[in-house]
């Protein structure tokens, strides 16, 4: 997404409506009645109106209450992720407050809204909205005295519960029932339409159920599975060699056994100990294991290069198990990449401690070993820092507080009092518990505190701290951690429409703040899981500091040789590098945090021994897909975190009913993540954002850096779950799984079908499709049922279906996942069996897991 610089202006609109109600201020009682009685509807009209990429929408406010909405004395606050540009008439004004918060107010021409009457407000806004979840819930009224009332019709809860499906969660958003509403652009062809049942059927046509399939996901380097089983019962014991007790106890707990030090018993044992692991003639010394299941000898042997390898052997053993039956098997295994990560945005909407603990268990089962935890952003601060209590006290909460002295504004639809999803932070004890659980599962926690951009929450918290100490007359303390220049008149707008979200990098208090936060994190990690890497974010800085008097003075007189605003970003990174290096830490950042105008900062000027960048912004047609190669070739470690394949906040399908933003690809399904090829980055090019086909050569032609000269600097893969549209734990789990399984497969296992740029090898599409069929069968058989049993609300794909010669044919991207059909418009449902496919003239179909169901598709 591109940033722009716009003035925070009042946008005046007009509306033609004949109302004769007298003007009077709204009372507290009337405000409450209006909140409960207004029926507000949000409707997208046209996303394709012009090539300047604006769209038209309408807000309809119907007064179903028993009191009039008066001509004055009220305002309406709401979250809107697109900048509103122009309204149709002049009876209301709209003001951009900050971020995604807007305020609507009546003008002198507004005469009031009597019960039964409707106010229609049509407007134009930037870009587009082609999905229901683009619209944020919890709009609210505010009186002149500052009282608030939630407009109940915009609530995202039903009987106090937030639904998983957008269609149920956002009932005030009208349907996207025409191409003008679900397509984008003007003058450019948008190739995407919502999938039909036949579209899905065709996409799944090369998949089929593999009977009696056995295996492990992610795929081991070497695996053989036999036909005989061994039965684990209470007479078995787990024995361990020195250094492997924790992993032995992990296995014992899973099977209800006892773990004891090594004994000379030769049968009915699961032995866990050290062993040298060799694959393709090469010794593997990290995270490698050998697992042998011998039913004839009634024993299971695990040999591992280290404790992590023993844990992963245990996870493979558990995946092979069918209850207490384990098939004969021989597995020799080691990971493809040392970095196999998942990035979690705990900021836009809070991820509870319990949610993260559950996530760690699932990550370990998939052999992922890095939890990149984003703890700060514009919309919140999520970690307790004892030295700076305002960060949690103020920065972790959202409510209606225009001055943001007690809480932040209710960004992303948090409503006037905030919600359980918008508010919260990790106490020191919470974070330590997360660290302890992660350590036991061989998962490194990498905390991210994003800076200098994406820092609105920290800036406001430190401004509140300043005011507190200034009122006490202690200006030294007041200024100690101030992150903003009060006289800065720079006008800018961040990607998320913030006007004040960049720490001032010319101020020494900024570096006092960073040093205090980093030192606090180091203390938190010590004695549990010593902190290795501090991730400073560094992304999406939008034109700040130009008109800051403090920066102007700094540029005129400093000891760093800096004379222009363009040099300030690199200066900041070098200062952050020194602070983290002084704490013996490696440094991590997003790709754009380690470069300016696509020019990589000299690696020699970054003090840390190791510096890595998450390469994310690879929209192919933007011409910046070469950033990953650019960083690697300039001596930085690179983690492939590509938005086109590994941003799991994007929809599973190009459908308005699907959750998520779609600024990179229009959609990402598990098959796409599974198919990523790390050793030929440009070979992953497939489509533009509009769905036009792209080739590797197209991307190469636009790339400045065309080859990866230092492949050893590619550290691994990471997926990201951003949470602007993800509020509840169930929604989060549905967006993360099963796509995370595809990520884990590619991060752990190198497939034979993959393209390799260094050798000139092309992708073998037929082999890839065959491999996905195997993978998808194993996911459906082994992993999804376990996720369901453990309460993980993974996404249920909508099945495909056609009627062929009067016979219903249905399929799934995960063969074996239960499909149901109905021939009475959903009154009753039957399990679909392709071997006994029913004769029908029309049908509804859906995927099912336990009591959960997917969206319904119509087959005709």
């Amino acid at each position: 997404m591109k940033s722009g610089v716009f003035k925070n202006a009042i946008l005046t609109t007009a509306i033609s409506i004949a109302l004769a109600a007298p003007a009077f201020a709204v009372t507290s009682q009337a405000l409450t009645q209006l909140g409960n009685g207004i029926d507000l509807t949000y409707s997208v009209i046209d996303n394709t109106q012009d090539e300047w990429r604006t769209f038209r929408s309408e807000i309809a406010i119907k007064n179903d209450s028993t009191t009039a909405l008066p001509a004055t004395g009220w305002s309406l606050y709401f979250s809107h992720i697109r900048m509103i540009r122009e309204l149709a008439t002049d009876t209301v004004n709209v003001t951009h407050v900050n971020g995604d918060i807007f305020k609507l107010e009546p003008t002198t021409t507004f005469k009031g809204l009597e019960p039964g009457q409707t106010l229609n407000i049509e407007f134009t806004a930037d870009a587009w909205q082609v999905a229901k979840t683009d619209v944020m819930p919890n709009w609210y009224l505010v009186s002149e005295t500052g009282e608030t009332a939630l407009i109940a019709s915009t609530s995202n809860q039903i009987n106090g519960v937030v639904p998983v499906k957008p269609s149920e969660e956002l009932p005030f958003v009208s349907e996207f029932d025409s191409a003008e509403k679900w397509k984008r652009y003007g003058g450019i062809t948008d190739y995407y339409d919502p999938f039909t049942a036949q579209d899905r059927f065709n996409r799944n046509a090369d998949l089929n159920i593999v009977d009696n399939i056995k295996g492990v996901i992610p795929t081991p380097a070497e695996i053989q599975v036999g036909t005989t089983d061994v039965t684990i019962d209470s007479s078995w014991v787990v024995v361990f060699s020195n250094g492997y007790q924790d992993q032995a106890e992990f296995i014992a707990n899973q099977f209800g056994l006892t773990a004891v030090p090594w004994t000379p018993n030769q049968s009915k044992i699961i032995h866990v100990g050290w062993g040298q692991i060799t694959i393709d003639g090469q010794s593997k010394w990290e995270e490698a294991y050998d697992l042998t299941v011998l039913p004839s000898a009634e024993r299971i042997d695990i040999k591992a290069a280290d404790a992590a390898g023993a844990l992963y052997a245990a996870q493979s053993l558990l995946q092979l198990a069918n209850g207490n039956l384990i098939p004969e098997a021989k597995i020799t295994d080691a990971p493809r990449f040392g970095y196999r990560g998942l990035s979690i945005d705990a900021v836009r909407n809070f991820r509870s401690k319990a949610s993260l603990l559950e996530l760690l268990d699932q990550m370990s089962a998939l052999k992922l070993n890095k939890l990149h935890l984003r703890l700060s952003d514009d919309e919140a601060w999520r970690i307790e820092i004892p030295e700076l209590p305002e960060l949690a006290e103020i920065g972790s909460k959202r409510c209606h507080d225009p001055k943001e002295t007690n809480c932040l504004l209710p960004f992303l639809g948090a409503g006037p009092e905030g919600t359980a999803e918008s508010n919260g932070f990790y106490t020191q004890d919470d974070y330590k518990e997360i660290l302890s659980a992660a350590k036991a599962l061989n998962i490194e926690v990498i905390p991210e505190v994003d800076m200098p951009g994406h820092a609105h929450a920290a800036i406001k918290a430190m401004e509140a701290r300043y005011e507190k100490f200034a009122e006490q007359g202690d200006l030294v303390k007041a200024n100690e951690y101030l992150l903003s220049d009060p006289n800065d008149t720079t006008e800018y707008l961040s990607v998320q429409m913030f006007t004040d979200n960049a720490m001032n990098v010319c101020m020494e208090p900024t570096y006092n703040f960073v040093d205090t936060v980093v030192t606090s994190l180091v203390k938190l990690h010590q004695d549990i899981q010593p902190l290795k890497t501090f991730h400073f974010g560094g992304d999406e800085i939008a034109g700040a500091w130009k008109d800051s008097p403090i920066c102007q003075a700094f540029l005129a007189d400093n000891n760093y040789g800096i004379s222009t605003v363009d040099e300030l970003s690199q200066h900041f990174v070098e200062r952050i590098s020194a602070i983290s290096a002084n704490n013996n830490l490696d440094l991590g950042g997003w790709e754009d945090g380690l470069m300016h105008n696509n020019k990589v900062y000299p690696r020699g000027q970054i003090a840390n021994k190791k510096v890595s960048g998450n390469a994310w912004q690879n929209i192919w047609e933007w011409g910046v897909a070469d950033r990953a190669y650019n960083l690697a070739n300039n001596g930085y470690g690179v983690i492939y975190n590509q938005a086109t394949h590994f941003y799991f906040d994007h929809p599973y399908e190009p459908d308005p009913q699907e959750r998520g933003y779609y600024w990179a690809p229009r959609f990402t399904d598990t098959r796409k993540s599974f198919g990523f090829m790390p050793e030929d980055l440009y070979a992953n090019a497939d489509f533009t954002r509009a769905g036009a086909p792209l080739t590797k050569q197209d991307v190469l032609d636009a790339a400045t850096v065309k080859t990866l000269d230092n492949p050893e600097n590619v550290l691994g893969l990471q997926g990201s779950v951003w949470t602007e549209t993800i509020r509840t734990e169930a929604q989060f789990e549905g967006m993360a799984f099963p796509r995370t399984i595809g990520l884990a497969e590619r991060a752990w296992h190198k497939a034979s079908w993959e393209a390799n740029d260094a050798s000139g090898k092309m992708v073998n599409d037929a082999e890839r499709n065959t491999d996905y069929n195997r993978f998808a069968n194993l996911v459906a058989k082994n992993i999804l049922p376990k996720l369901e049993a453990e309460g993980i609300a993974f996404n249920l794909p909508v099945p495909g279906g056609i009627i062929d010669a009067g016979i219903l044919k249905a399929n799934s991207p995960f063969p074996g996942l239960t499909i149901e059909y109905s021939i009475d418009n959903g009154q009753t449902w039957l399990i679909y069996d392709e071997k006994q496919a029913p004769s029908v003239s029309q049908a509804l179909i859906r995927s099912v897991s336990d009591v959960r169901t997917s969206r319904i598709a119509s087959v005709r």
Side-chain angles (χ1 to χ4, degrees):
M1 289 181 279
K2 297 180 179 178
S3 61
V5 180
F6 306 104
K7 291 187 177 181
N8 183 13
I10 294 179
L11 306 174
T12 306
T13 70
I15 187 159
S16 299
I17 184 168
L19 299 172
F24 58 91
V26 65
T27 66
S28 177
Q29 181 180 8
L31 193 74
T32 300
Q33 291 175 343
L34 287 164
N36 290 328
I38 285 177
D39 182 12
L40 189 148
T41 303
Y42 185 99
S43 304
V44 170
I45 299 171
D46 187 1
N47 276 297
T48 65
Q49 62 179 19
D50 62 50
E51 60 186 80
W52 295 107
R53 299 184 181 181
T54 60
F55 70 96
R56 286 188 298 127
S57 281
E58 183 180 71
I59 302 166
I61 301 174
K62 182 181 180 184
N63 188 354
D64 279 343
S65 74
T66 58
T67 188
L69 179 67
T72 61
W74 60 271
S75 57
L76 189 157
Y77 279 73
F78 61 101
S79 293
H80 197 267
I81 67 168
R82 307 300 190 194
M83 179 59 71
I84 297 175
R85 288 295 171 197
E86 183 179 356
L87 288 90
T89 52
D90 67 352
T91 57
V92 292
N93 288 335
V94 168
T95 304
H96 173 229
V97 179
N98 205 1
D100 70 331
I101 300 295
F102 289 80
K103 178 173 68 171
L104 184 149
E105 299 172 288
T107 68
T108 55
T109 60
F110 179 68
K111 305 304 180 183
L113 193 67
E114 292 292 327
Q117 294 182 317
T118 300
L119 176 65
N120 295 305
I121 306 169
E122 186 176 318
F123 63 90
T124 300
D126 286 350
W128 40 70
Q129 289 184 330
V130 300
K132 277 200 169 186
T133 56
D134 284 344
V135 185
M136 296 294 161
N138 298 322
W139 301 33
Y140 62 97
L141 293 168
V142 181
S143 70
E144 284 183 327
T145 59
E147 294 178 278
T148 63
L150 177 71
I151 297 177
S153 61
T154 68
S155 170
N156 61 326
Q157 297 187 3
I158 299 176
N159 297 323
V161 177
V162 181
V164 175
K165 299 174 184 176
S167 58
E168 298 173 357
E169 180 190 9
L170 302 164
F172 72 101
V173 182
S174 297
E175 296 302 319
F176 290 71
D177 51 12
S178 68
E180 290 78 16
K181 297 178 182 180
W182 70 60
K183 286 183 179 290
R184 297 173 284 177
Y185 315 116
I188 300 173
T189 301
D190 185 344
Y191 292 86
Y192 289 117
D193 291 300
F195 290 159
T196 65
Q198 182 167 350
D199 290 334
R200 297 187 192 95
F201 186 86
N202 293 339
R203 291 172 65 85
N204 303 331
D206 62 337
L207 306 177
N208 60 277
I209 295 175
V210 180
D211 293 328
N212 301 316
I213 189 169
K214 296 179 181 179
V216 170
I217 297 294
T219 304
E222 299 173 1
I223 180 171
Q224 295 177 333
V225 181
T227 57
T228 58
D229 296 323
V230 64
T231 302
I232 307 295
D233 58 30
S234 59
S235 63
W236 282 62
V237 65
V238 183
V239 300
F240 56 87
S241 301
N242 188 35
Y244 293 88
Q245 181 174 350
D246 290 345
Q247 294 71 41
E249 291 178 347
F250 176 83
I251 296 171
N253 289 336
Q254 302 300 317
F255 290 103
L257 305 176
T258 301
V260 299
W262 183 86
T263 65
N265 293 352
Q266 297 300 310
S267 63
K268 292 192 175 182
I269 66 167
I270 303 174
H271 178 222
V272 185
W274 183 86
Q276 183 174 345
I277 310 303
T278 302
I279 299 174
D280 292 333
Q282 295 184 343
S283 295
K284 304 292 183 179
W285 301 107
E286 295 181 353
E287 301 182 300
Y289 68 90
D290 184 284
L291 169 64
T292 305
V293 181
L294 293 171
S296 59
E298 290 190 299
R299 64 177 291 138
I300 298 171
D301 286 303
I302 291 173
K303 298 177 182 178
D306 54 15
L311 173 66
Y312 295 146
Q315 298 289 14
S316 293
L317 181 66
L318 291 173
Q319 203 177 129
L320 284 172
N322 180 13
N324 64 342
L325 296 178
I326 302 175
E328 178 182 11
K330 173 67 174 176
I331 298 176
T332 304
D333 203 7
R336 173 187 205 165
F337 289 116
Y339 191 111
R340 308 177 302 280
L342 196 59
S343 168
I344 303 302
D345 171 13
V347 183
R348 272 58 175 269
N349 282 292
F350 188 50
R351 301 274 65 82
S352 68
K353 178 185 71 175
S355 172
L356 289 186
L357 294 176
E358 287 183 345
L359 179 66
L360 289 170
D361 286 338
Q362 303 309 322
M363 288 177 63
S364 176
L366 295 170
K367 303 181 176 73
L368 296 174
N369 66 350
K370 310 290 182 183
L371 174 63
H372 174 174
L373 186 59
R374 190 170 173 105
L375 295 169
S376 75
D377 211 307
D378 294 318
E379 298 86 355
W381 182 279
R382 299 301 192 192
I383 183 69
E384 179 186 18
I385 304 295
E387 297 84 357
L388 301 171
E390 298 85 1
L391 290 170
E393 292 170 357
I394 297 168
S396 72
K397 298 181 296 184
R398 297 180 204 152
C399 68
H400 180 70
D401 179 11
K403 294 183 178 180
E404 296 184 291
T405 55
N406 298 306
C407 61
L408 303 181
L409 287 167
F411 304 114
L412 299 171
E417 297 179 359
T419 65
E421 294 78 33
S422 69
N423 297 353
F425 65 93
Y426 306 114
T427 66
Q428 297 261 302
D429 286 342
D430 288 338
Y431 192 77
K432 288 178 180 178
E433 188 174 342
I434 292 167
L435 288 177
S436 295
K439 179 185 178 182
L441 295 170
N442 189 50
I443 297 172
E444 177 189 355
V445 176
I446 302 171
E448 178 189 346
V449 176
D450 203 0
M451 55 182 72
H454 283 278
H456 176 80
I459 290 168
K460 300 309 291 187
M462 292 302 96
E463 286 179 358
R465 183 184 186 278
Y466 173 91
E467 295 296 335
K468 179 178 68 176
F469 286 109
E471 288 178 5
Q472 298 173 10
D474 191 342
L475 291 180
V476 173
K477 267 199 167 183
N479 283 287
E480 187 178 9
Y481 294 108
L482 191 63
L483 301 174
S484 54
D485 178 355
N487 298 313
D488 189 354
T489 59
T490 308
E491 294 183 347
Y492 65 91
L493 199 71
S494 75
V495 175
Q496 289 78 22
M497 300 188 298
F498 282 87
T499 61
D500 58 353
N501 78 334
M503 299 177 180
N504 194 302
V505 301
C506 305
M507 298 170 55
E508 280 304 308
T510 292
Y511 302 102
N512 294 339
F513 175 87
V514 175
D515 189 52
T516 297
V517 170
V518 170
T519 300
S520 182
L521 290 171
V522 169
K523 289 179 181 177
L524 259 177
H525 277 252
Q526 71 184 12
D527 301 326
I528 302 175
Q529 185 187 73
L531 186 61
K532 295 179 181 178
T533 301
F534 172 68
H535 200 291
F536 79 100
D539 57 313
E540 295 182 328
I541 303 168
W545 318 311
K546 180 171 61 72
D547 296 321
S548 160
I550 290 177
C551 276
Q552 290 171 350
F554 175 82
L555 293 174
D557 183 17
N558 64 80
N559 297 323
Y560 300 97
I562 296 172
S563 59
T564 67
V565 172
D566 274 352
E567 297 173 274
L568 289 175
S569 294
Q570 181 176 340
H571 169 68
F572 177 79
V573 174
E574 291 174 4
R575 293 289 305 271
I576 298 303
S577 168
I579 291 170
S580 55
N582 287 340
N583 284 276
N584 297 314
L585 300 177
D586 297 331
L587 188 66
W590 295 97
E591 61 181 26
D592 38 338
L594 299 171
M595 58 179 66
H596 185 67
N597 293 331
N598 281 343
K599 184 178 180 180
V600 177
Y601 300 146
R603 178 63 184 86
Q605 293 179 223
I606 311 297
N608 310 78
K609 292 180 180 178
K610 296 180 181 179
V611 185
S612 60
N614 294 79
W616 63 281
Q617 194 174 189
N618 72 316
I619 295 176
W620 305 112
E621 65 268 33
W622 282 5
V624 293
D626 60 1
R627 286 180 171 180
Y629 284 4
N630 199 5
L631 284 171
N633 290 350
N634 280 280
Y636 289 87
V638 172
I639 299 148
Y640 287 160
N641 206 154
Q642 268 70 20
T644 55
H645 288 71
F646 298 135
Y647 265 34
F648 299 151
D649 60 318
H650 281 51
Y652 281 90
E653 289 188 1
D655 193 302
Q657 297 287 353
E658 289 281 326
R659 183 176 306 280
Y661 287 170
Y662 41 84
W663 61 265
R666 182 61 185 87
F667 70 100
T668 299
D669 58 12
T670 306
R671 192 168 187 169
K672 182 169 185 176
S673 299
F674 166 90
F676 183 76
M677 297 173 289
E679 293 178 6
D680 193 344
L681 191 59
Y682 300 150
N684 294 292
D686 49 8
F687 299 100
T688 67
R689 291 202 295 174
L694 271 177
T695 66
K696 174 182 176 179
Q697 192 61 49
D698 294 330
V699 180
L700 268 173
D701 290 344
T704 301
V705 182
K706 300 183 185 299
T707 60
L708 177 62
D709 299 329
N710 299 315
E712 68 278 6
N713 287 337
V714 177
L715 307 179
L717 310 183
Q718 179 167 287
S720 291
V721 188
W722 305 99
T723 60
E724 289 96 332
T725 69
I726 302 171
R727 300 177 182 89
T728 67
E729 308 303 347
Q731 291 171 358
F732 172 76
E733 291 163 356
M735 296 301 278
F737 297 98
R739 290 184 287 201
T740 297
I741 308 171
L743 162 74
E745 174 74 1
R746 282 288 69 76
W748 183 271
H749 179 71
K750 179 180 177 180
S752 60
W753 46 260
E754 294 184 41
N756 186 308
D757 192 45
S759 68
K761 181 177 180 294
M762 304 283 286
V763 60
N764 186 325
D765 284 321
E767 191 177 338
R768 175 163 59 178
N769 293 339
T770 299
D771 193 29
Y772 180 77
N773 190 61
R774 175 199 59 83
F775 168 86
N777 270 267
L778 283 171
V779 169
K781 182 187 178 202
N782 290 355
I783 298 181
L784 298 185
K786 290 183 179 180
L787 289 176
E788 189 71 61
E790 293 169 12
I792 305 299
F794 62 88
N795 181 73
L796 282 167
V798 186
I802 61 172
I803 296 175
D804 183 10
I807 302 298
L808 175 63
K809 295 183 178 179
N811 60 18
S812 170
F814 299 101
L817 187 64
T818 299
I819 298 173
E820 289 184 341
Y821 70 97
S822 172
I823 57 174
D824 55 10
N825 201 32
Q827 295 183 50
T828 59
W829 292 88
L830 300 170
I831 294 176
Y832 176 79
D833 182 351
E834 65 176 8
K835 296 177 181 178
Q836 296 179 330
S839 298
V840 300
S841 59
Q842 56 79 34
L844 301 178
I845 56 175
R846 66 186 186 183
S847 297
V848 180
S849 182
D850 195 25
V851 298
R852 298 189 306 118
T853 61
S854 71
R855 288 192 291 113
I856 294 171
S858 176
V859 188
R860 297 184 182 276

